[in-house]
Short mmCIF file of all heavy atoms in Angstrom, two decimals:
data_model
loop_
_atom_site.label_atom_id
_atom_site.label_comp_id
_atom_site.label_asym_id
_atom_site.label_seq_id
_atom_site.Cartn_x
_atom_site.Cartn_y
_atom_site.Cartn_z
N ARG A 157 -67.27 -117.80 121.48
CA ARG A 157 -66.45 -117.68 120.28
C ARG A 157 -65.01 -118.01 120.66
O ARG A 157 -64.16 -118.48 119.84
CB ARG A 157 -66.57 -116.29 119.75
CG ARG A 157 -65.71 -116.05 118.54
CD ARG A 157 -66.29 -116.48 117.26
NE ARG A 157 -67.41 -115.82 116.86
CZ ARG A 157 -68.07 -115.93 115.68
NH1 ARG A 157 -67.57 -116.79 114.79
NH2 ARG A 157 -69.19 -115.28 115.36
N CYS A 159 -64.10 -120.05 122.84
CA CYS A 159 -64.01 -121.32 123.59
C CYS A 159 -63.89 -122.57 122.62
O CYS A 159 -63.03 -123.32 122.81
CB CYS A 159 -65.35 -121.50 124.43
SG CYS A 159 -65.43 -122.99 125.29
N MET A 160 -64.75 -122.63 121.67
CA MET A 160 -64.77 -123.89 120.86
C MET A 160 -65.13 -123.65 119.42
O MET A 160 -65.47 -124.64 118.70
CB MET A 160 -65.71 -124.97 121.51
CG MET A 160 -67.05 -124.42 122.15
SD MET A 160 -67.80 -123.03 121.28
CE MET A 160 -68.26 -123.58 119.66
N SER A 161 -65.07 -122.39 118.92
CA SER A 161 -65.71 -122.13 117.61
C SER A 161 -64.84 -122.80 116.48
O SER A 161 -65.44 -123.17 115.47
CB SER A 161 -65.79 -120.65 117.41
OG SER A 161 -64.57 -120.01 117.52
N SER A 162 -63.56 -123.07 116.67
CA SER A 162 -62.82 -123.79 115.69
C SER A 162 -63.28 -125.23 115.56
O SER A 162 -63.39 -125.70 114.41
CB SER A 162 -61.33 -123.74 115.97
OG SER A 162 -60.87 -122.32 115.90
N ALA A 163 -63.53 -125.88 116.64
CA ALA A 163 -64.00 -127.26 116.60
C ALA A 163 -65.46 -127.27 115.98
O ALA A 163 -65.73 -128.20 115.14
CB ALA A 163 -64.06 -127.83 117.99
N ALA A 164 -66.26 -126.22 116.34
CA ALA A 164 -67.55 -126.20 115.69
C ALA A 164 -67.48 -126.03 114.19
O ALA A 164 -68.19 -126.73 113.39
CB ALA A 164 -68.33 -125.05 116.29
N ALA A 165 -66.54 -125.18 113.71
CA ALA A 165 -66.41 -124.91 112.29
C ALA A 165 -65.86 -126.16 111.58
O ALA A 165 -66.44 -126.54 110.46
CB ALA A 165 -65.49 -123.70 112.01
N ALA A 166 -64.93 -126.83 112.19
CA ALA A 166 -64.44 -128.09 111.62
C ALA A 166 -65.48 -129.16 111.61
O ALA A 166 -65.52 -129.90 110.57
CB ALA A 166 -63.16 -128.54 112.32
N GLY A 167 -66.30 -129.27 112.64
CA GLY A 167 -67.29 -130.29 112.67
C GLY A 167 -68.32 -130.07 111.57
O GLY A 167 -68.83 -130.98 110.94
N MET A 168 -68.71 -128.79 111.42
CA MET A 168 -69.66 -128.48 110.36
C MET A 168 -69.18 -128.83 109.02
O MET A 168 -69.83 -129.34 108.13
CB MET A 168 -69.99 -126.95 110.38
CG MET A 168 -70.77 -126.43 111.63
SD MET A 168 -72.38 -127.33 111.79
CE MET A 168 -73.32 -126.45 110.50
N LYS A 169 -67.82 -128.53 108.71
CA LYS A 169 -67.30 -128.86 107.42
C LYS A 169 -67.29 -130.37 107.17
O LYS A 169 -67.60 -130.79 106.14
CB LYS A 169 -65.84 -128.36 107.35
CG LYS A 169 -65.70 -126.89 107.13
CD LYS A 169 -64.20 -126.58 106.90
CE LYS A 169 -63.91 -125.08 106.64
NZ LYS A 169 -62.59 -124.79 106.28
N ALA A 170 -66.87 -131.06 108.19
CA ALA A 170 -66.70 -132.55 107.96
C ALA A 170 -67.95 -133.37 108.07
O ALA A 170 -68.20 -134.21 107.39
CB ALA A 170 -65.60 -133.09 108.97
N PHE A 171 -68.75 -133.05 109.10
CA PHE A 171 -69.88 -133.83 109.43
C PHE A 171 -71.24 -133.29 109.11
O PHE A 171 -72.24 -133.87 109.20
CB PHE A 171 -69.87 -134.24 110.98
CG PHE A 171 -68.64 -134.85 111.42
CD1 PHE A 171 -67.98 -134.33 112.60
CD2 PHE A 171 -68.00 -135.82 110.73
CE1 PHE A 171 -66.82 -134.94 113.08
CE2 PHE A 171 -66.82 -136.41 111.21
CZ PHE A 171 -66.28 -135.94 112.41
N ASP A 174 -72.43 -129.71 114.24
CA ASP A 174 -71.57 -129.42 115.41
C ASP A 174 -72.22 -129.76 116.66
O ASP A 174 -73.15 -129.01 117.04
CB ASP A 174 -71.02 -127.95 115.42
CG ASP A 174 -70.79 -127.52 116.74
OD1 ASP A 174 -70.06 -128.19 117.51
OD2 ASP A 174 -71.12 -126.39 117.10
N GLY A 241 -48.64 -124.74 118.85
CA GLY A 241 -49.01 -124.17 117.58
C GLY A 241 -48.63 -125.22 116.41
O GLY A 241 -48.76 -124.85 115.26
N ASP A 243 -49.89 -128.52 116.31
CA ASP A 243 -50.76 -129.74 116.36
C ASP A 243 -51.25 -130.18 115.00
O ASP A 243 -51.49 -131.36 114.70
CB ASP A 243 -51.96 -129.46 117.28
CG ASP A 243 -51.71 -128.73 118.51
OD1 ASP A 243 -51.36 -127.53 118.42
OD2 ASP A 243 -51.79 -129.42 119.59
N LEU A 244 -51.33 -129.14 114.16
CA LEU A 244 -51.85 -129.45 112.72
C LEU A 244 -50.73 -130.29 112.02
O LEU A 244 -51.13 -131.34 111.44
CB LEU A 244 -51.93 -128.10 111.97
CG LEU A 244 -52.32 -128.20 110.49
CD1 LEU A 244 -53.43 -129.08 110.15
CD2 LEU A 244 -52.72 -126.71 110.01
N ALA A 245 -49.56 -129.94 112.15
CA ALA A 245 -48.50 -130.80 111.48
C ALA A 245 -48.40 -132.12 112.12
O ALA A 245 -48.26 -133.09 111.44
CB ALA A 245 -47.11 -130.00 111.68
N ALA A 247 -50.85 -133.93 113.43
CA ALA A 247 -51.95 -134.79 112.90
C ALA A 247 -51.68 -135.26 111.45
O ALA A 247 -51.94 -136.39 111.11
CB ALA A 247 -53.27 -133.96 113.02
N LEU A 248 -51.06 -134.32 110.67
CA LEU A 248 -50.73 -134.66 109.32
C LEU A 248 -49.67 -135.77 109.28
O LEU A 248 -49.66 -136.60 108.44
CB LEU A 248 -50.30 -133.38 108.60
CG LEU A 248 -51.41 -132.45 108.15
CD1 LEU A 248 -50.97 -131.03 107.87
CD2 LEU A 248 -52.10 -133.05 106.93
N THR A 315 -60.57 -133.25 121.18
CA THR A 315 -59.72 -131.96 121.20
C THR A 315 -60.32 -130.99 122.18
O THR A 315 -61.54 -131.02 122.56
CB THR A 315 -59.67 -131.29 119.86
OG1 THR A 315 -61.05 -130.79 119.51
CG2 THR A 315 -59.20 -132.19 118.74
N ALA A 316 -59.50 -130.10 122.63
CA ALA A 316 -60.01 -128.97 123.49
C ALA A 316 -59.27 -127.70 122.99
O ALA A 316 -58.89 -127.61 121.85
CB ALA A 316 -59.76 -129.28 124.93
N ARG A 317 -59.05 -126.83 124.00
CA ARG A 317 -58.62 -125.45 123.56
C ARG A 317 -57.22 -125.39 122.94
O ARG A 317 -56.89 -124.53 122.15
CB ARG A 317 -58.68 -124.48 124.74
CG ARG A 317 -59.98 -124.42 125.51
CD ARG A 317 -61.23 -124.00 124.66
NE ARG A 317 -61.72 -125.13 123.88
CZ ARG A 317 -62.48 -126.06 124.39
NH1 ARG A 317 -62.73 -125.99 125.64
NH2 ARG A 317 -62.94 -127.09 123.57
N GLY A 318 -56.35 -126.41 123.23
CA GLY A 318 -55.06 -126.44 122.68
C GLY A 318 -54.97 -126.24 121.16
O GLY A 318 -54.44 -125.34 120.66
N PRO A 319 -55.57 -127.21 120.42
CA PRO A 319 -55.51 -127.11 118.99
C PRO A 319 -56.59 -126.14 118.51
O PRO A 319 -56.41 -125.65 117.33
CB PRO A 319 -55.87 -128.53 118.48
CG PRO A 319 -56.68 -129.06 119.68
CD PRO A 319 -56.12 -128.55 120.87
N GLU A 320 -57.45 -125.80 119.27
CA GLU A 320 -58.69 -124.94 118.74
C GLU A 320 -58.26 -123.45 118.78
O GLU A 320 -58.67 -122.67 117.86
CB GLU A 320 -59.97 -125.25 119.50
CG GLU A 320 -60.44 -126.66 119.38
CD GLU A 320 -61.45 -127.08 120.42
OE1 GLU A 320 -61.97 -126.16 121.08
OE2 GLU A 320 -61.52 -128.29 120.63
N GLN A 321 -57.68 -123.04 119.88
CA GLN A 321 -57.40 -121.60 119.99
C GLN A 321 -56.16 -121.18 119.20
O GLN A 321 -55.16 -120.80 119.84
CB GLN A 321 -57.35 -121.23 121.49
CG GLN A 321 -58.64 -121.24 122.21
CD GLN A 321 -58.49 -120.89 123.67
OE1 GLN A 321 -57.52 -121.20 124.35
NE2 GLN A 321 -59.60 -120.32 124.25
N GLN A 322 -56.20 -121.26 118.03
CA GLN A 322 -55.09 -121.02 117.14
C GLN A 322 -55.65 -120.30 115.90
O GLN A 322 -56.83 -120.46 115.46
CB GLN A 322 -54.34 -122.24 116.71
CG GLN A 322 -53.63 -122.99 117.85
CD GLN A 322 -52.86 -124.17 117.39
OE1 GLN A 322 -52.38 -124.20 116.29
NE2 GLN A 322 -52.66 -125.14 118.26
N SER A 323 -54.79 -119.52 115.28
CA SER A 323 -55.25 -118.81 114.05
C SER A 323 -55.45 -119.80 112.84
O SER A 323 -55.89 -119.44 111.79
CB SER A 323 -54.21 -117.72 113.63
OG SER A 323 -52.96 -118.36 113.38
N LYS A 324 -55.05 -121.12 113.09
CA LYS A 324 -55.39 -122.20 112.15
C LYS A 324 -56.14 -123.21 112.79
O LYS A 324 -56.07 -124.44 112.50
CB LYS A 324 -54.13 -122.73 111.54
CG LYS A 324 -53.02 -123.12 112.52
CD LYS A 324 -51.85 -123.63 111.73
CE LYS A 324 -50.76 -124.12 112.68
NZ LYS A 324 -50.09 -123.14 113.45
N GLY A 325 -56.95 -122.84 113.90
CA GLY A 325 -57.66 -123.74 114.72
C GLY A 325 -58.62 -124.70 113.90
O GLY A 325 -58.70 -125.95 114.14
N THR A 326 -59.37 -124.16 112.94
CA THR A 326 -60.31 -124.96 112.19
C THR A 326 -59.53 -126.01 111.36
O THR A 326 -60.01 -127.20 111.36
CB THR A 326 -61.11 -124.01 111.24
OG1 THR A 326 -61.75 -123.09 112.03
CG2 THR A 326 -62.20 -124.79 110.52
N ASP A 327 -58.46 -125.63 110.75
CA ASP A 327 -57.63 -126.58 109.94
C ASP A 327 -57.04 -127.64 110.86
O ASP A 327 -56.94 -128.86 110.52
CB ASP A 327 -56.61 -125.92 109.16
CG ASP A 327 -57.17 -125.28 107.85
OD1 ASP A 327 -58.36 -125.34 107.65
OD2 ASP A 327 -56.39 -124.63 107.13
N THR A 328 -56.69 -127.18 112.06
CA THR A 328 -55.97 -128.12 113.01
C THR A 328 -56.97 -129.18 113.39
O THR A 328 -56.73 -130.37 113.39
CB THR A 328 -55.47 -127.39 114.21
OG1 THR A 328 -54.50 -126.45 113.72
CG2 THR A 328 -54.74 -128.41 115.14
N VAL A 329 -58.15 -128.79 113.83
CA VAL A 329 -59.23 -129.75 114.23
C VAL A 329 -59.57 -130.63 112.90
O VAL A 329 -59.72 -131.86 113.00
CB VAL A 329 -60.46 -129.03 114.78
CG1 VAL A 329 -61.61 -130.04 114.97
CG2 VAL A 329 -60.12 -128.38 116.07
N GLY A 330 -59.61 -129.99 111.73
CA GLY A 330 -59.92 -130.74 110.55
C GLY A 330 -58.94 -131.85 110.34
O GLY A 330 -59.19 -132.94 109.83
N ALA A 331 -57.67 -131.58 110.64
CA ALA A 331 -56.57 -132.58 110.38
C ALA A 331 -56.81 -133.86 111.33
O ALA A 331 -56.61 -134.95 110.99
CB ALA A 331 -55.22 -131.94 110.74
N TRP A 332 -57.24 -133.50 112.56
CA TRP A 332 -57.53 -134.61 113.51
C TRP A 332 -58.77 -135.41 113.08
O TRP A 332 -58.90 -136.60 113.22
CB TRP A 332 -57.73 -134.08 114.98
CG TRP A 332 -56.38 -133.72 115.55
CD1 TRP A 332 -55.97 -132.40 115.68
CD2 TRP A 332 -55.40 -134.52 116.00
NE1 TRP A 332 -54.64 -132.41 116.18
CE2 TRP A 332 -54.23 -133.73 116.38
CE3 TRP A 332 -55.17 -135.95 116.06
CZ2 TRP A 332 -52.99 -134.18 116.91
CZ3 TRP A 332 -53.95 -136.47 116.53
CH2 TRP A 332 -53.04 -135.61 116.97
N ILE A 333 -59.76 -134.67 112.53
CA ILE A 333 -60.92 -135.37 111.97
C ILE A 333 -60.54 -136.28 110.82
O ILE A 333 -61.02 -137.42 110.65
CB ILE A 333 -62.09 -134.42 111.66
CG1 ILE A 333 -62.65 -133.65 112.85
CG2 ILE A 333 -63.16 -135.07 110.79
CD1 ILE A 333 -63.65 -132.54 112.63
N ASN A 334 -59.72 -135.73 109.92
CA ASN A 334 -59.23 -136.54 108.77
C ASN A 334 -58.60 -137.85 109.31
O ASN A 334 -58.82 -138.84 108.63
CB ASN A 334 -58.20 -135.73 108.01
CG ASN A 334 -58.87 -134.76 107.12
OD1 ASN A 334 -60.07 -134.60 107.02
ND2 ASN A 334 -58.02 -133.81 106.56
N LEU A 335 -57.79 -137.80 110.38
CA LEU A 335 -57.22 -138.96 110.93
C LEU A 335 -58.20 -139.97 111.32
O LEU A 335 -58.13 -141.21 111.07
CB LEU A 335 -56.32 -138.61 112.10
CG LEU A 335 -55.60 -139.72 112.80
CD1 LEU A 335 -54.44 -140.31 111.93
CD2 LEU A 335 -54.94 -139.25 114.14
N TYR A 349 -64.70 -138.59 116.60
CA TYR A 349 -64.13 -137.29 117.07
C TYR A 349 -65.05 -136.50 117.91
O TYR A 349 -66.22 -136.47 117.57
CB TYR A 349 -63.75 -136.51 115.76
CG TYR A 349 -63.45 -135.05 116.16
CD1 TYR A 349 -62.30 -134.70 116.81
CD2 TYR A 349 -64.49 -134.15 116.08
CE1 TYR A 349 -62.09 -133.46 117.29
CE2 TYR A 349 -64.22 -132.83 116.60
CZ TYR A 349 -63.04 -132.45 117.15
OH TYR A 349 -62.90 -131.21 117.72
N LYS A 367 -74.83 -116.13 118.89
CA LYS A 367 -73.59 -116.15 118.02
C LYS A 367 -73.98 -115.30 116.82
O LYS A 367 -75.10 -115.19 116.32
CB LYS A 367 -73.27 -117.47 117.68
CG LYS A 367 -71.95 -117.69 117.04
CD LYS A 367 -71.45 -119.07 117.13
CE LYS A 367 -70.16 -119.31 116.31
NZ LYS A 367 -70.48 -119.67 114.93
N ARG A 585 -66.97 -135.48 105.05
CA ARG A 585 -66.03 -134.82 104.08
C ARG A 585 -64.67 -134.71 104.61
O ARG A 585 -64.45 -134.03 105.64
CB ARG A 585 -66.66 -133.40 103.74
CG ARG A 585 -68.01 -133.48 103.06
CD ARG A 585 -68.57 -132.13 102.70
NE ARG A 585 -69.02 -131.43 103.86
CZ ARG A 585 -70.21 -130.95 103.99
NH1 ARG A 585 -71.12 -131.15 103.14
NH2 ARG A 585 -70.56 -130.32 105.12
N PHE A 586 -63.70 -135.31 103.93
CA PHE A 586 -62.34 -134.99 104.20
C PHE A 586 -62.09 -133.55 103.80
O PHE A 586 -62.59 -133.07 102.71
CB PHE A 586 -61.43 -135.84 103.39
CG PHE A 586 -61.24 -137.16 103.95
CD1 PHE A 586 -61.88 -138.24 103.45
CD2 PHE A 586 -60.29 -137.41 105.01
CE1 PHE A 586 -61.63 -139.61 104.01
CE2 PHE A 586 -60.05 -138.68 105.46
CZ PHE A 586 -60.77 -139.81 104.94
N VAL A 587 -61.41 -132.73 104.57
CA VAL A 587 -61.05 -131.39 104.17
C VAL A 587 -59.49 -131.26 104.07
O VAL A 587 -58.85 -131.56 105.08
CB VAL A 587 -61.56 -130.32 105.22
CG1 VAL A 587 -61.12 -128.92 104.74
CG2 VAL A 587 -63.09 -130.47 105.24
N PRO A 588 -58.98 -131.08 102.86
CA PRO A 588 -57.58 -131.10 102.79
C PRO A 588 -56.91 -129.84 103.48
O PRO A 588 -57.31 -128.81 103.29
CB PRO A 588 -57.25 -131.04 101.20
CG PRO A 588 -58.57 -130.53 100.66
CD PRO A 588 -59.65 -130.84 101.58
N VAL A 589 -56.00 -130.16 104.34
CA VAL A 589 -55.27 -129.10 105.16
C VAL A 589 -53.85 -129.28 105.11
O VAL A 589 -53.35 -130.40 104.92
CB VAL A 589 -55.81 -129.06 106.58
CG1 VAL A 589 -57.25 -128.65 106.62
CG2 VAL A 589 -55.69 -130.43 107.28
N ALA A 590 -53.08 -128.24 105.23
CA ALA A 590 -51.56 -128.28 105.22
C ALA A 590 -51.03 -127.43 106.40
O ALA A 590 -51.71 -126.55 106.79
CB ALA A 590 -51.04 -127.67 103.88
N HIS A 591 -49.91 -127.86 106.82
CA HIS A 591 -49.23 -127.14 107.96
C HIS A 591 -48.95 -125.73 107.59
O HIS A 591 -48.57 -125.40 106.39
CB HIS A 591 -47.90 -127.89 108.34
CG HIS A 591 -47.10 -126.98 109.19
ND1 HIS A 591 -47.40 -126.58 110.41
CD2 HIS A 591 -45.90 -126.34 108.81
CE1 HIS A 591 -46.42 -125.91 110.95
NE2 HIS A 591 -45.50 -125.65 110.01
N ARG A 592 -49.20 -124.78 108.49
CA ARG A 592 -48.58 -123.43 108.33
C ARG A 592 -48.13 -122.88 109.70
O ARG A 592 -48.63 -123.47 110.75
CB ARG A 592 -49.72 -122.55 107.61
CG ARG A 592 -50.95 -122.33 108.37
CD ARG A 592 -51.88 -121.36 107.53
NE ARG A 592 -53.01 -121.02 108.25
CZ ARG A 592 -54.23 -121.80 108.28
NH1 ARG A 592 -54.29 -122.87 107.70
NH2 ARG A 592 -55.20 -121.33 108.97
N ALA A 697 -54.85 -112.61 116.68
CA ALA A 697 -54.87 -113.04 115.31
C ALA A 697 -56.00 -114.15 115.14
O ALA A 697 -56.04 -115.05 115.95
CB ALA A 697 -53.53 -113.75 114.91
N LEU A 698 -56.88 -114.00 114.13
CA LEU A 698 -58.09 -114.75 114.09
C LEU A 698 -58.04 -115.90 113.05
O LEU A 698 -57.37 -115.75 111.95
CB LEU A 698 -59.25 -113.90 113.75
CG LEU A 698 -59.63 -112.74 114.68
CD1 LEU A 698 -60.82 -112.03 114.12
CD2 LEU A 698 -59.86 -113.21 116.04
N ASP A 699 -58.63 -117.10 113.32
CA ASP A 699 -58.72 -118.08 112.41
C ASP A 699 -59.72 -117.60 111.37
O ASP A 699 -60.74 -117.01 111.64
CB ASP A 699 -59.42 -119.37 113.08
CG ASP A 699 -59.70 -120.42 112.11
OD1 ASP A 699 -60.69 -120.41 111.45
OD2 ASP A 699 -58.84 -121.33 112.09
N PRO A 700 -59.32 -117.80 110.04
CA PRO A 700 -60.16 -117.20 108.92
C PRO A 700 -61.60 -117.73 108.93
O PRO A 700 -62.56 -117.03 108.43
CB PRO A 700 -59.45 -117.52 107.71
CG PRO A 700 -58.46 -118.65 108.11
CD PRO A 700 -58.19 -118.51 109.56
N THR A 701 -61.85 -118.98 109.34
CA THR A 701 -63.20 -119.57 109.32
C THR A 701 -63.99 -119.31 110.66
O THR A 701 -65.12 -118.76 110.63
CB THR A 701 -63.15 -121.06 109.06
OG1 THR A 701 -62.37 -121.26 107.91
CG2 THR A 701 -64.52 -121.54 108.91
N SER A 702 -63.33 -119.63 111.72
CA SER A 702 -64.11 -119.62 113.05
C SER A 702 -64.00 -118.22 113.67
O SER A 702 -64.81 -117.95 114.62
CB SER A 702 -63.57 -120.61 113.98
OG SER A 702 -62.27 -120.31 114.43
N ARG A 703 -63.09 -117.38 113.30
CA ARG A 703 -62.84 -116.16 113.93
C ARG A 703 -62.43 -116.32 115.38
O ARG A 703 -62.59 -115.42 116.26
CB ARG A 703 -63.96 -115.16 113.84
CG ARG A 703 -64.74 -115.09 112.49
CD ARG A 703 -63.77 -114.86 111.26
NE ARG A 703 -63.31 -113.48 111.24
CZ ARG A 703 -62.39 -113.06 110.44
NH1 ARG A 703 -61.74 -113.97 109.69
NH2 ARG A 703 -62.02 -111.78 110.34
N MET A 704 -61.77 -117.39 115.71
CA MET A 704 -61.24 -117.74 117.04
C MET A 704 -59.89 -117.10 117.20
O MET A 704 -59.02 -117.32 116.32
CB MET A 704 -61.14 -119.26 117.22
CG MET A 704 -60.29 -119.68 118.39
SD MET A 704 -61.25 -119.88 119.86
CE MET A 704 -61.73 -121.60 119.82
N PRO A 705 -59.62 -116.34 118.19
CA PRO A 705 -58.34 -115.72 118.42
C PRO A 705 -57.26 -116.81 118.82
O PRO A 705 -57.54 -117.86 119.40
CB PRO A 705 -58.47 -114.67 119.50
CG PRO A 705 -59.98 -114.51 119.68
CD PRO A 705 -60.59 -115.81 119.29
N GLU A 706 -55.99 -116.37 118.58
CA GLU A 706 -54.86 -117.35 118.85
C GLU A 706 -54.35 -117.24 120.27
O GLU A 706 -53.19 -116.88 120.57
CB GLU A 706 -53.68 -117.11 117.84
CG GLU A 706 -52.67 -118.16 117.86
CD GLU A 706 -51.90 -118.38 116.59
OE1 GLU A 706 -51.17 -117.41 116.24
OE2 GLU A 706 -52.17 -119.32 115.90
#
Side-chain angles (χ1 to χ4, degrees):
R157 177 80 68 169
C159 176
M160 37 37 63
S161 54
S162 294
M168 292 298 287
K169 281 188 181 187
F171 306 132
D174 151 45
D243 315 73
L244 172 52
L248 283 159
T315 67
R317 303 305 79 74
E320 298 164 17
Q321 288 180 328
Q322 298 185 25
S323 60
K324 53 181 183 291
T326 304
D327 282 359
T328 301
V329 174
W332 288 103
I333 292 175
N334 286 350
L335 181 69
Y349 160 78
K367 193 159 172 272
R585 294 180 286 239
F586 280 98
V587 178
V589 292
H591 165 70
R592 60 182 189 272
L698 300 180
D699 178 279
T701 306
S702 69
R703 318 305 287 168
M704 166 89 93
E706 189 151 71

